[in-house]
Amino acid sequence: MGYQYDFSVVLKSAWFEAVLMTMTYAVGTIVGGLIIGVVCGVALLFPYRWVTIPINIYVQFFRCTPLLIQIVWFFYALPIVLNFNLPAWAAAGLGLTLYMGAFCAEIFRAGVMSIDKGQWQAARALGMTYLQLMRRIILPQAMRRMVPPFVNQSVLQLKNTSLLYVVAVPDIMYVSSQITSTTYRPLEVYTFAALLYFALLYPLTQLARRLESRVDR
Amino acid sequence: MTESRPMIRITELHKHYGDFHAIKGVSLEVPKGGKYFIIGPSGCGKSTLLRCINLLEDPSSGSIEVGDQAMRFGPGHRMPPGRVLARYRSHVGMVFQQFNLFPHKTAIENVMEGPVVVKGTKLPEARELALDLLSKVGLAEKADVYPSQLSGGQAQRVAIARALAMQPNVMLFDEVTSALDPELVGEVLNVIKQLALDGTTMVVVTHEMAFARDIADTVCFMDAGVIGQEGTPEEILVRPQNPRLKAFLSRFLSERPA
């Protein structure tokens, strides 16, 4: 039996705000996560266990539990624990940011650790202090190695914003489900939503690829 | 400066790695301008000793003096803070087996890095110094080339220039030709020979016996963490008395015909 496609149902103005919402959350939580990641990544390199152990617990906890549960937890459980009502947008944003931060910390730490020991020794032998050798020798090399995993994580992060719909943040995913519930056309609506995500991400991945080939000498 | 005081004085140096006693009470002196060569089987502690002189390893006990800087280690002495270590190392040049050039910097930038970052030398001045040193090692035309485009011998010569740029009191060479193709060894040894003729104080860990005989004024045979025998190249390499040294040399010569 033939299914009658009707893509006219997707013609809704709500998409504009939905795309804006998705982009806002993606950019905001990626930038926030990057900042948390760099701070935690630097701290993970400290030789003091009382610094590294709590940060490792944070990183591993957020890396190893589903993001969906984290968002739900921040929305429903955190207000109960803190006895303080967190608005949906803040709960969702906090969950996404901490999730990104955990991965960024690990990307940063792994990038620095991947630099050959000989580089550290050569810089020390010249008489550089820890800060000098980090800034001049280790980070410039490590940064190049961090770009591909960071881009990868950012792409995932933008798609992960679709989980926001569970706490009713009107992003692309949420709007899709709203339109579906009134039109009963999930096939057309979700296909269109997927195309929107693709249209957002594909140019970004291409840009990142060009950036990578530029820094890679 | 009087000649009475040695440039390097190491007293009763010990290094433990957990249960492993890598260096067992080594004492030695190198006068200003001295060429002190260390030979010995692999695992005898010769590289560890060299790395201790630059404090890339922290000695378990003993004392190390280089020029007017003295460091004591062991119970009651904490490892000095990073800033003090950095200042100490800036007076001690080190060249590694694996070159360890900075791959994101050109040859001349590698050489300039120490003076600019550590000493705060102005860029034009550092560039001039670096070009001088690159010419000295015969690589002025490679100044703007990245390390990945250099041969092993060229990379090692740049690494020597990089260490020299700090104008150190002492140069440490840690098996600097061991990672090179045989045909590239000569160009690196020639540079070190030239430094020796210029009066550079150096401690050299090497397996190049002919080179040691040619350049060294003192050769030290290390064995299982202690100095087995120390003397002139003649005494150590030509007429060895110590049976372990004899065994080492004969094994060595049979492996690599001179």
Side-chain angles (χ1 to χ4, degrees):
Chain A
M1 67 184 213
Y3 179 78
Q4 294 296 311
Y5 290 92
D6 180 7
F7 273 96
S8 68
V9 300
V10 304
L11 298 173
K12 296 277 195 294
S13 64
W15 292 116
F16 290 107
E17 278 177 39
V19 168
L20 207 63
M21 187 62 73
T22 291
M23 285 306 285
T24 306
Y25 268 96
V27 173
T29 60
I30 286 169
V31 171
L34 183 61
I35 293 168
I36 292 175
V38 169
V39 171
C40 291
V42 168
L44 279 177
L45 298 169
F46 277 32
Y48 312 115
R49 291 171 67 121
W50 57 270
V51 176
T52 57
I53 287 176
I55 291 175
N56 252 320
I57 290 173
Y58 152 64
V59 169
Q60 296 312 329
F61 190 80
F62 275 81
R63 287 211 314 165
C64 302
T65 53
L67 176 58
L68 184 57
I69 295 178
Q70 291 166 21
I71 292 173
V72 170
W73 193 87
F74 272 93
F75 184 62
Y76 293 106
L78 191 65
I80 298 169
V81 174
L82 294 182
N83 198 17
F84 170 77
N85 234 350
L86 212 55
W89 65 267
L94 198 60
L96 278 172
T97 304
L98 289 174
Y99 180 80
M100 184 73 184
F103 279 91
C104 284
E106 198 52 28
I107 289 168
F108 187 91
R109 189 198 63 81
V112 169
M113 296 305 285
S114 75
I115 303 300
D116 182 52
K117 271 202 159 62
Q119 293 291 307
W120 299 74
Q121 291 174 1
R124 283 205 187 102
L126 284 176
M128 289 193 200
T129 61
Y130 184 79
L131 282 179
Q132 286 170 336
L133 76 88
M134 267 296 182
R135 191 168 54 84
R136 302 282 306 190
I137 306 301
I138 304 301
L139 285 182
Q141 297 181 61
M143 230 89 105
R144 289 177 191 187
R145 298 192 188 175
M146 292 175 201
V147 169
F150 175 70
V151 167
N152 199 35
Q153 194 58 42
S154 299
V155 167
L156 288 175
Q157 181 74 357
L158 191 143
K159 293 195 289 184
N160 279 341
T161 58
S162 61
L163 297 173
L164 289 171
Y165 88 103
V166 295
V167 292
V169 171
D171 73 327
I172 294 176
M173 195 63 191
Y174 183 79
V175 167
S176 305
S177 65
Q178 292 294 94
I179 296 174
T180 304
S181 67
T182 55
T183 61
Y184 303 106
R185 289 275 178 185
L187 184 58
E188 290 87 342
V189 172
Y190 286 118
T191 304
F192 183 73
L195 288 175
L196 280 179
Y197 280 110
F198 186 85
L200 289 175
L201 279 173
Y202 183 73
L204 282 177
T205 57
Q206 292 308 300
L207 192 74
R209 215 175 255 184
R210 293 211 356 221
L211 190 76
E212 271 169 41
S213 59
R214 249 225 320 258
V215 295
D216 187 41
R217 228 191 297 267
Chain B
M1 192 123 150
T2 57
E3 290 296 314
S4 61
R5 194 172 159 184
M7 181 61 97
I8 304 175
R9 176 188 285 147
I10 295 175
T11 316
E12 271 302 303
L13 195 78
H14 287 266
K15 173 66 183 172
H16 296 265
Y17 293 102
D19 289 339
F20 179 59
H21 200 173
I23 297 181
K24 304 169 184 165
V26 166
S27 301
L28 61 87
E29 285 188 3
V30 183
K32 188 169 192 294
K35 293 108 190 59
Y36 193 94
F37 277 56
I38 305 173
I39 61 170
S42 60
C44 71
K46 55 193 192 303
S47 282
T48 306
L49 175 61
L50 202 67
R51 293 158 56 81
C52 280
I53 300 179
N54 205 8
L55 303 185
L56 285 175
E57 303 282 349
D58 52 326
S60 307
S61 66
S63 72
I64 300 177
E65 293 166 51
V66 173
D68 54 4
Q69 306 191 96
M71 301 268 179
R72 293 189 57 80
F73 307 92
H77 297 279
R78 287 182 65 93
M79 191 68 176
R83 197 160 289 279
V84 175
L85 288 180
R87 210 184 70 85
Y88 172 91
R89 293 192 187 112
S90 70
H91 296 285
V92 180
M94 177 133 186
V95 185
F96 301 86
Q97 183 177 346
Q98 301 293 343
F99 331 139
N100 296 341
L101 288 180
F102 305 133
H104 58 305
K105 295 181 181 292
T106 61
I108 195 165
E109 285 168 352
N110 265 276
V111 181
M112 291 164 65
E113 190 68 7
V116 169
V117 176
V118 177
K119 285 186 172 172
T121 309
K122 295 270 173 293
L123 280 178
E125 203 181 317
R127 179 167 288 276
E128 201 175 321
L129 168 74
L131 257 182
D132 272 359
L133 288 168
L134 284 177
S135 330
K136 193 169 173 179
V137 300
L139 288 172
E141 81 281 6
K142 297 285 185 187
D144 296 317
V145 165
Y146 282 90
S148 58
Q149 291 154 281
L150 296 172
S151 73
Q154 291 169 338
Q156 195 58 296
R157 285 186 283 156
V158 172
I160 293 173
R162 177 177 67 177
L164 288 173
M166 290 302 291
Q167 292 161 325
N169 294 329
V170 174
M171 285 287 282
L172 309 176
F173 294 94
D174 188 7
E175 297 193 35
V176 293
T177 56
S178 298
L180 296 178
D181 292 336
E183 76 270 23
L184 302 177
V185 169
E187 61 188 69
V188 173
L189 295 186
N190 281 335
V191 168
I192 300 175
K193 184 173 183 175
Q194 190 55 51
L195 291 177
L197 293 176
D198 293 347
T200 308
T201 310
M202 56 177 72
V203 180
V204 184
V205 168
T206 189
H207 287 300
E208 301 287 338
M209 298 304 159
F211 181 63
R213 213 162 99 186
D214 196 16
I215 306 293
D217 44 43
T218 308
V219 179
C220 154
F221 170 63
M222 264 192 92
D223 187 28
V226 297
I227 293 183
Q229 198 185 340
E230 194 188 71
T232 64
E234 180 80 4
E235 288 164 350
I236 302 295
L237 298 170
V238 185
R239 280 189 294 277
Q241 300 299 319
N242 181 321
R244 306 256 313 172
L245 170 57
K246 269 186 188 164
F248 169 70
L249 286 176
S250 65
R251 193 164 63 240
F252 210 85
L253 293 176
S254 62
E255 273 169 25
R256 284 200 214 177

